[in-house]
Amino acid sequence: MVESKSFWKSGHKPTLFGAFMYFDISFMIWGMLGPLAVIIAMDYPMTPLEKANLVALPILGGSILRLVLGFMSDYIGPKLTAQIGMLFTLVPLLLGWLWVDSLSQLYVVALLLGVAGASFAAALPLAGQWYPKEHQGLAMGIAGAGNSGTVLATLFANRLATHFGSWEVVFGLAIIPIVIVFILFSIFAKNSPNRPEPKKLSQYGTLLKQKDAWVFCAFYCVTFGGFVGLCNYLTIFFNTQYGLSAVHAADITTFCVIAGSFFRPVGGFLADKIGGTRMLTFLYSGACIMLLGVSFLPPLPVVITMLFLGMMCLGAGNGSVFQLVPQRFGNEIGLMTGIVGAAGGLGGYALPLILGQLYSSYQSYTPGFVILSLIAAASMCLVLFMQSRWRVSWLSRSGKGIADSTSLTS
């Protein structure tokens, strides 16, 4: 039996970190409106639902465009797709900097920012296709940890807007890092020589007929949707519920976002060790408990702790889901990344709307967080149901996603 290579001796490190940089800077741009919404509301007064819609539109745009970039990654390769994505990301940045003069125009920019969020569909296949299945969880976790770009957005967007006296200038400044990353990415990143052949259009329809594809969509809708939705909405939550300033609210959001961002590769790594379904069971349970605790709207230090732990569970859950996807759909990973990522985007789009609508109706965030907690609980039940089916089919072949004692000895 041939001994497998260690993680760092397999794959292509420049491409892995190129994918991380691309994803990181794209996520920063994708998440800018979340923290900026509080400052923008000073120029364009908005109802709670309008604020929620503003921060949700980039997520919706990303959800739609991930399907497009997933298709492109499969046909023209993830590197070229990523380069095209970065070039198109300049469009909403220029419009936000030089063109916006009304809330309706800002909604257009918000939707176009989705092209940055769609980076997921190119970055993960680019990195993952270089690595064998036993290292897929960690490789895609490292590339996916680029969602830490949200930390840059929450940490600096409001500070820059306050310093320059204009939130529009933040869009202009964001052009600088994405141009730098575009140059470095173009030099160092490479497509894997083991990239699967493009599929026919008829095969895409066949893939969507498989129930497992929709199950993974449901899983990621909750983990990634919960993570990115909270990333974009928490600044509004802390400002509205606890009366914090725009900068202070964004700083606390940064602390919570760090947990979700940096625990994504941990989730992938641990899923490689003990099984993806076992990890998801633990993580959905933890998210359920933490979100339920937040629904009681406890004192600020307590709610920060709960959101930190809840975001940690959701972030690690992202890595765990994508530890399982390549095992089940290894030959269609480009398309599946786009499909599953799109589902995650839809979850992220729905979350701010749930919190904003229920706050408008009840003048309280309690109902919204209770619903989010119940969704996490339902996801845990779905994992428990599906693992019994998967154990006798594809999990039995890989041995890496089984959530029982056999996964510890495989």
Side-chain angles (χ1 to χ4, degrees), residues 60-75:
L60 177 63
S63 179
I64 296 169
L65 290 173
R66 282 183 188 194
L67 293 173
V68 177
L69 266 66
F71 179 88
M72 291 171 61
S73 293
D74 207 30
Y75 269 83

Side-chain angles (χ1 to χ4, degrees), residues 51-274:
K51 286 183 183 179
N53 193 43
L54 177 64
V55 301
L57 279 173
I59 309 177
L60 177 63
S63 179
I64 296 169
L65 290 173
R66 282 183 188 194
L67 293 173
V68 177
L69 266 66
F71 179 88
M72 291 171 61
S73 293
D74 207 30
Y75 269 83
I76 66 174
K79 179 178 179 177
L80 180 56
T81 300
Q83 291 170 311
I84 293 172
M86 281 186 271
L87 291 176
F88 272 91
T89 299
L90 296 175
V91 174
L93 293 179
L94 288 169
L95 291 176
W97 179 27
L98 303 172
W99 175 69
V100 169
D101 195 35
S102 66
L103 184 58
S104 60
Q105 291 177 339
L106 187 58
Y107 281 158
V108 173
V109 170
L111 191 62
L112 291 177
L113 283 173
V115 70
S119 58
F120 191 101
L124 265 67
L126 181 66
Q129 287 168 1
W130 277 99
Y131 290 85
K133 286 187 177 181
E134 62 265 26
H135 298 310
Q136 285 280 332
L138 182 56
M140 298 185 81
I142 291 174
N147 57 27
S148 60
T150 309
V151 173
L152 300 176
T154 55
L155 191 60
F156 294 112
N158 285 352
R159 278 187 167 81
L160 290 171
T162 301
H163 177 76
F164 289 101
S166 166
W167 54 265
E168 291 95 340
V169 75
V170 179
F171 284 83
L173 291 172
I175 294 173
I176 299 172
I178 197 167
V179 170
I180 294 173
V181 169
F182 176 84
I183 295 170
L184 294 174
F185 179 91
S186 298
I187 295 171
F188 295 109
K190 296 181 180 180
N191 286 324
S192 170
N194 300 317
R195 190 164 63 90
E197 290 293 324
K199 305 297 184 296
K200 297 179 180 178
L201 286 175
S202 59
Q203 293 175 285
Y204 293 110
T206 301
L207 183 62
L208 289 171
K209 292 178 182 178
Q210 300 188 47
K211 293 180 180 179
D212 286 352
W214 294 101
V215 172
F216 284 127
C217 286
F219 287 162
Y220 206 63
C221 184
V222 176
T223 59
F224 182 78
F227 168 75
V228 75
L230 287 172
C231 286
N232 278 23
Y233 195 80
L234 282 182
T235 301
I236 296 173
F237 168 71
F238 287 125
N239 173 259
T240 303
Q241 180 64 38
Y242 294 94
L244 304 182
S245 68
V247 172
H248 193 191
D251 284 346
I252 295 179
T253 300
T254 301
F255 178 72
C256 298
V257 170
I258 285 173
S261 298
F262 291 99
F263 273 86
R264 178 171 185 139
V266 174
F269 175 77
L270 292 177
D272 280 337
K273 298 297 182 182
I274 70 171

Side-chain angles (χ1 to χ4, degrees), residues 146-410:
N147 57 27
S148 60
T150 309
V151 173
L152 300 176
T154 55
L155 191 60
F156 294 112
N158 285 352
R159 278 187 167 81
L160 290 171
T162 301
H163 177 76
F164 289 101
S166 166
W167 54 265
E168 291 95 340
V169 75
V170 179
F171 284 83
L173 291 172
I175 294 173
I176 299 172
I178 197 167
V179 170
I180 294 173
V181 169
F182 176 84
I183 295 170
L184 294 174
F185 179 91
S186 298
I187 295 171
F188 295 109
K190 296 181 180 180
N191 286 324
S192 170
N194 300 317
R195 190 164 63 90
E197 290 293 324
K199 305 297 184 296
K200 297 179 180 178
L201 286 175
S202 59
Q203 293 175 285
Y204 293 110
T206 301
L207 183 62
L208 289 171
K209 292 178 182 178
Q210 300 188 47
K211 293 180 180 179
D212 286 352
W214 294 101
V215 172
F216 284 127
C217 286
F219 287 162
Y220 206 63
C221 184
V222 176
T223 59
F224 182 78
F227 168 75
V228 75
L230 287 172
C231 286
N232 278 23
Y233 195 80
L234 282 182
T235 301
I236 296 173
F237 168 71
F238 287 125
N239 173 259
T240 303
Q241 180 64 38
Y242 294 94
L244 304 182
S245 68
V247 172
H248 193 191
D251 284 346
I252 295 179
T253 300
T254 301
F255 178 72
C256 298
V257 170
I258 285 173
S261 298
F262 291 99
F263 273 86
R264 178 171 185 139
V266 174
F269 175 77
L270 292 177
D272 280 337
K273 298 297 182 182
I274 70 171
T277 52
R278 175 187 283 268
M279 275 298 297
L280 284 175
T281 302
F282 293 149
L283 295 171
Y284 282 134
S285 300
C288 172
I289 293 170
M290 292 302 108
L291 291 170
L292 184 61
V294 173
S295 72
F296 291 98
L297 304 176
L300 186 60
V302 178
V303 82
I304 292 173
T305 302
M306 289 181 172
L307 283 169
F308 180 90
L309 294 174
M311 294 280 273
M312 182 180 70
C313 290
L314 294 172
N318 294 333
S320 298
V321 172
F322 270 94
Q323 186 267 350
L324 289 168
V325 171
Q327 298 176 51
R328 177 63 178 83
F329 296 101
N331 293 327
E332 302 92 2
I333 186 62
L335 179 63
M336 276 304 299
T337 298
I339 292 173
V340 175
L346 289 176
Y349 173 68
L351 187 147
L353 297 182
I354 290 172
L355 293 176
Q357 179 63 63
L358 290 176
Y359 183 82
S360 295
S361 300
Y362 299 98
Q363 297 302 302
S364 172
Y365 283 113
T366 294
F369 279 102
V370 167
I371 288 177
L372 298 182
S373 176
L374 291 175
I375 292 172
S379 301
M380 180 194 66
C381 294
L382 181 59
V383 173
L384 294 173
F385 175 75
M386 293 307 301
Q387 72 175 10
S388 62
R389 293 189 168 195
W390 289 345
R391 187 182 296 119
V392 297
S393 56
W394 58 273
L395 280 181
S396 62
R397 297 192 299 270
S398 67
K400 298 295 291 184
I402 302 173
D404 61 16
S405 59
T406 61
S407 66
L408 300 177
T409 59
S410 60

